[in-house]
Amino acid sequence: MFIIVPAIVVTILCTIGAYLLPNRYESSTTILVQREEIPNPLLGNELAAAMSSMSSEDKLQTFNEIIYSWTTLQMLADSLGLSRNIQTEDKRQAMLIGLERSVGTERRGSGSFRIIFTDVDPLRTQRGADILSNLFIETQMRVERQRSEQAVQFFE
């Protein structure tokens, strides 16, 4: 009885818990950020070396700032159709905070970052991770393009 009853009780509790808990799906995307191997000829040697030796922690901080920015989260909500029926600004803020909790990031290596998106809908989960990675890449490319344009303007 000491072996059979606890085993049956645990099995019943686990079965009930499995049916009552909501399904949560997780989708992730890994992004590899490669350093620019060719130094920018418009920048001085010292500045080019300083920019290329940016630490992984700095890159992760920049990565997190882009992913968790309100602009990125708002574009994600619009792309997923989460902000269609929201009328007030308070509800929009609450939705963005909930969406922020569904997003996770981690550093996988020196130049590798992972975006994790969790939701109850498997298709929305997959689309969310894909949209976040595309938004990050577009933002990063726009920043690099602006930096290059400003360097050209400065030297002109």
Side-chain angles (χ1 to χ4, degrees):
M1 291 304 275
F2 287 120
I3 296 174
I4 295 173
V5 172
I8 292 173
V9 170
V10 168
T11 303
I12 292 172
L13 288 175
C14 289
T15 304
I16 292 171
Y19 284 108
L20 293 179
L21 291 175
N23 291 333
R24 301 284 297 174
Y25 299 95
E26 181 179 290
S27 182
S28 65
T29 301
T30 303
I31 298 175
L32 176 64
V33 179
Q34 294 178 333
R35 278 190 275 164
E36 193 173 309
E37 296 297 328
I38 302 170
N40 190 340
L42 298 176
L43 301 176
N45 290 335
E46 296 84 21
L47 184 58
M51 289 179 69
S52 68
S53 67
M54 184 177 178
S55 73
S56 298
E57 293 300 324
D58 293 339
K59 289 179 184 177
L60 181 62
Q61 183 65 29
T62 304
F63 176 73
N64 284 336
E65 287 174 0
I66 292 172
I67 295 297
Y68 290 115
S69 71
W70 287 107
T71 305
T72 301
L73 292 174
Q74 183 62 49
M75 288 192 296
L76 175 64
D78 291 342
S79 297
L80 293 176
L82 298 175
S83 59
R84 282 188 207 139
N85 299 327
I86 296 178
Q87 305 297 332
T88 65
E89 188 62 30
D90 291 338
K91 289 182 181 179
R92 179 177 301 282
Q93 293 289 335
M95 183 266 306
L96 289 176
I97 290 170
L99 191 60
E100 183 180 19
R101 290 184 190 133
S102 298
V103 176
T105 59
E106 66 182 34
R107 187 181 73 203
R108 305 284 287 186
S110 63
S112 177
F113 304 101
R114 186 172 179 212
I115 300 172
I116 304 161
F117 188 74
T118 307
D119 197 67
V120 295
D121 181 16
L123 294 175
R124 187 168 52 205
T125 304
Q126 181 184 14
R127 284 187 54 227
D130 185 47
I131 291 168
L132 278 172
S133 64
N134 288 336
L135 288 172
F136 170 74
I137 292 168
E138 288 172 9
T139 303
Q140 191 71 21
M141 295 301 290
R142 186 174 60 245
V143 167
E144 290 296 323
R145 193 171 35 254
Q146 286 175 347
R147 185 180 298 152
S148 296
E149 289 172 1
Q150 289 174 352
V152 168
Q153 288 175 356
F154 174 76
F155 284 111
E156 284 180 345

